[in-house]
Structure formats: C-alpha cells, structure tokens
Amino acid sequence: MTKITRISLWHVPLTSHEAYYMADGKTCDTVETVVLAIDTDDGRTGWGEVCPIPHYLPAYARGVAPAVQEMAFVLLGADPVGPEALMAQLDRHLQGHVYAKSAIDIALWDLTGQVAGLPLYALLGGRRAETMTLYHSITCIAPDEMARIAQETQNQGIRQFQVKLGADGDWQADVARLRLVREAVGDGPLVYGDWNCGATSLDATRVGRAVADLDVMLEQPCATIDDCARVRAATGLPMKMDESAHDTASLLEAHAKGCMDAVAVKLSKFGGLSASRRARDLCQHLGAKMCIEDTWGSDITTAALLHLGASTDPARVMNVCDLSGYVAPRLAPMGPVRKDGRIAPPEGAGLGVAPDRHSLPEPDMVLD
C-alpha cells in the first residue's frame, strides 16, 4: 500500500498579463497561488494548486496552510489512491474549507493516476473530447477597447467571449460594451456579460432589456440566486450562474428557479476534482451547459480542469479556461496552451504536468 510521507506547500505570486477590472470595485492583478506537493513512500509526488481571490469567495491564499496543517494527521500515513475515501475522512475531521481541500484533492488524484499509469481523464469518466472550446475573458474597460480585444482574440481562433461589466457603475456603458463586442465578433460566437455579483437587479434588468435584441447571455449579475432569477425573468435573456453555484443544494435551487442555463463548475468552489465531478454529473442530468474551470491559478489547476472537461459529455461543455495563459510565471512551462481557440488535456499519467521542484523556492511549510 502506498503511504503519504510528506506534505509541502509554497505561496507563489501570479501576475495577470493585464489587470482585470470587475464590478463593485473588484480587481485581479497579482494574486497569490498555493502550490501543494504530496510525497509518498514509493517516491511519487502528487501536485495540487488553489488560487483563491478573497473578494470572489470566502477564501484566501494564506488560509490554506493552517487548514492543511489541521488535516495533516489524517493525511500522513494514509493511502492516497482512491481520493474520495480519504477526502471523506477529511470532511469528517474538518467541515468546510473546501478551497484548501481542493488542492489536496487534486494532488491525491494526481497520485492515483500515477499509480494506475493513466491520465486523469481516463479515471474521471474516459476521454470524450480530443480538444475543448476556450472562452476569453475581457477586462472591464472602455467599450471600444473591449471590442478591439474581442476582435483580436477572435483572429486567434477564440469563439466565446466573457465581457466583464459594471466596473464604472454606468449601466449605459455596460450596454455599449455588450453591443460593441457583439458587433465586433459578428453573428455566431458566444458573448456573455459578467457582473461577478456586482449589480443590483434594477441595473442588470435595465442593461438586459436594452440589449434584448442581441444574441447575448448574462452571467451572475447579483449576489443571490433569487435576484438572478428575477433578472432572468425580466429580461428573457439566458443566464449563467457562477459565484452562487458551489454545492448540490445551490445547483438544484438555481435550476428550480430557472436561472441556470449555464453554470461555472470551478474546482475550488466545490472542493476539488472529487466534488466537481459529482457537480458535473448533476449538471449533466439537469441539462445545464458547463464552464469547467477554477477561480484562478496556473498550470496545475489548468491541467486538472482540462482532465475533467475532457471526460464530460461534449454536448454539455460550454467551455473551459486556460488559466495559466492569463498569468506569469508558468509553473510548468510545458503545460497545455491554446491553439485556434481550443485546448487539449495533458498526456501522461496523473495530471501530466509537474513544476520543476528546483525552480521553486524553499517551501513555506513542510509536514512529515
């Protein structure tokens, strides 16, 4: 039986290639990601990563290490193969803290894949897509500049565009953002406006009604499912849920209230690959399209979400995200990259990517 012998943790700052401005004064520029390594007695290392953004979810990078330390006595000496059994033990020991558990769960899946000699997509349901569609997220700046970015990325093969809204609190500017991006990319590509919970139902409804003649979707305008459902009903526009969709109960509620045409299944919101796979299967049953991704991060979390996406019914995958393509440095420079607006999961056993341990600084925490 394989046994866990050591847990190491690093904090690595990731800098966005361009600052992301969002509604309600939220920004994303340089964010700290947490890299986790779980070593075993047979010489293997499983890698995990979580990059929480404090204003996005009730989570923060420096909260991961204390939570991991609390869970260490359950992990050390345990068998990592078959992650869900060990994750169930962690849930019994420490309720919540799913973002910290996400990095652990990814590392356990990496080890399980290595022991099995299989890529993770083979263990998560089997490969159902060779490549997957990417979207490109456009920071909330001047409407004409956002349209230029959309056209530029469309020329690189991107066919789905997330338009950040609300950074200036001007609902009419948000109308212009959606109109100009829609015009810039023409008919066919998917365009959706994302407030990241930062709008009132009134302002979101005004925007939605003003662009109701366009082929656009709205994403999580308000902080509650009830308000999002109100906007969905008032505008008649399809809606994607994000921040409010984080467990079985919230998925069922959003579906029942008719505002979950699409949904973001993000690893750290649910607690890693194990919980996200269960959410994926429920969303397939409910009929929602999925954006399979994570809150932020680099190559490790990107690899994990790509494996989950590749093992999902392609008819239900709206898009995935190459998070590592938005930030520097790359943790694993040989990790997957976008090509013609699409991306493939890594090959090789487990995640199929690993940082060069020698390129990392001394770990900030070692437990053994």
Side-chain angles (χ1 to χ4, degrees), residues 13 18 25 48 69 103 146 180 199 215 346 348 354 365:
E18 59 179 327
Q69 193 168 24
M146 295 176 74
L180 290 181
D215 174 21
M365 185 177 76

Side-chain angles (χ1 to χ4, degrees), residues 244-252 269-270 279 282:
S244 290
H246 54 83
D247 59 12
T248 299
S250 58
L251 292 173
L252 290 172
K269 281 197 306 179
F270 287 88
L282 176 59

Side-chain angles (χ1 to χ4, degrees), residues 28-157:
C28 187
D29 187 359
T30 297
V31 179
E32 203 168 54
T33 196
V34 178
V35 177
L36 185 80
I38 296 180
D39 297 320
T40 62
D41 59 355
D42 56 5
R44 293 185 172 91
T45 300
W47 292 94
E49 179 187 9
V50 63
C51 189
I53 304 171
H55 59 63
Y56 177 78
L57 290 173
Y60 68 108
R62 293 285 166 160
V64 176
V68 172
Q69 193 168 24
E70 176 65 28
M71 294 181 279
F73 91 93
V74 179
L75 291 166
L76 292 170
D79 184 355
V81 178
E84 286 161 313
L86 187 49
M87 293 307 297
Q89 291 184 50
L90 294 180
D91 287 338
R92 286 193 295 271
H93 174 69
L94 179 67
Q95 295 185 30
H97 300 277
V98 295
Y99 66 100
K101 291 173 181 173
S102 181
I104 294 171
D105 185 71
I106 292 169
L108 296 179
W109 275 101
D110 189 17
L111 285 167
T112 298
Q114 291 177 41
V115 170
L118 294 169
L120 286 191
Y121 59 71
L123 303 179
L124 294 169
R127 189 165 189 169
R128 304 189 67 176
E130 290 302 308
T131 62
M132 292 155 286
T133 300
L134 291 164
Y135 74 91
H136 188 79
S137 183
I138 305 173
T139 182
C140 189
I141 50 178
D144 56 350
E145 182 64 9
M146 295 176 74
R148 183 197 65 77
I149 293 171
Q151 198 164 52
E152 182 180 274
T153 51
Q154 185 182 37
N155 291 337
Q156 299 166 6

Side-chain angles (χ1 to χ4, degrees), residues 134-135 302 305-306 320-327 336-338 343:
L134 291 164
Y135 74 91
T302 296
L305 68 90
L306 293 180
V320 295
C321 187
D322 57 336
L323 292 166
S324 54
Y326 288 84
V327 299
V337 295
R338 64 173 65 179
I343 196 166

Side-chain angles (χ1 to χ4, degrees), residues 104-362:
I104 294 171
D105 185 71
I106 292 169
L108 296 179
W109 275 101
D110 189 17
L111 285 167
T112 298
Q114 291 177 41
V115 170
L118 294 169
L120 286 191
Y121 59 71
L123 303 179
L124 294 169
R127 189 165 189 169
R128 304 189 67 176
E130 290 302 308
T131 62
M132 292 155 286
T133 300
L134 291 164
Y135 74 91
H136 188 79
S137 183
I138 305 173
T139 182
C140 189
I141 50 178
D144 56 350
E145 182 64 9
M146 295 176 74
R148 183 197 65 77
I149 293 171
Q151 198 164 52
E152 182 180 274
T153 51
Q154 185 182 37
N155 291 337
Q156 299 166 6
I158 293 290
R159 298 280 293 168
Q160 298 191 16
F161 304 88
Q162 182 193 64
V163 181
K164 293 295 186 184
L165 302 175
D168 51 11
D170 182 350
W171 73 271
Q172 291 174 307
D174 288 336
V175 171
R177 290 178 174 107
L178 287 169
R179 284 200 171 276
L180 290 181
V181 169
R182 178 79 270 173
E183 291 171 8
V185 302
D187 295 335
L190 178 64
V191 173
Y192 51 105
D194 180 18
W195 283 274
N196 291 107
C197 299
T200 62
S201 59
L202 172 60
D203 286 344
T205 296
R206 296 176 85 183
V207 173
R209 286 181 170 174
V211 299
D213 59 311
L214 300 180
D215 174 21
V216 296
M217 180 170 68
L218 307 181
E219 178 176 355
Q220 189 85 44
C222 309
T224 68
I225 292 174
D226 280 336
D227 277 349
C228 289
R230 188 175 295 111
V231 174
R232 173 70 172 85
T235 63
L237 291 172
M239 185 167 291
K240 174 188 171 190
M241 297 303 296
D242 183 358
E243 288 89 342
S244 290
H246 54 83
D247 59 12
T248 299
S250 58
L251 292 173
L252 290 172
E253 181 185 357
H255 173 73
K257 291 178 176 175
C259 57
M260 198 173 77
D261 301 285
V263 60
V265 177
K266 293 184 175 177
L267 303 182
S268 60
K269 281 197 306 179
F270 287 88
L273 283 167
S274 297
S276 296
R277 179 171 67 162
R278 294 192 292 271
R280 181 269 309 268
D281 293 345
L282 176 59
C283 289
Q284 289 185 152
H285 171 71
L286 296 175
K289 285 263 194 176
M290 286 171 276
C291 169
I292 296 177
E293 56 169 351
D294 208 342
T295 50
W296 209 236
S298 188
D299 295 279
I300 298 168
T301 191
T302 296
L305 68 90
L306 293 180
H307 283 291
L308 184 62
S311 62
T312 301
D313 179 0
R316 298 298 182 201
V317 179
M318 186 172 80
N319 51 44
V320 295
C321 187
D322 57 336
L323 292 166
S324 54
Y326 288 84
V327 299
R330 296 286 301 262
L331 295 177
M334 300 305 292
V337 295
R338 64 173 65 179
K339 182 179 181 182
D340 299 326
R342 301 183 69 84
I343 196 166
E347 299 295 344
L351 282 172
V353 301
D356 177 1
R357 204 156 186 161
H358 299 294
S359 69
L360 293 171
E362 287 297 309

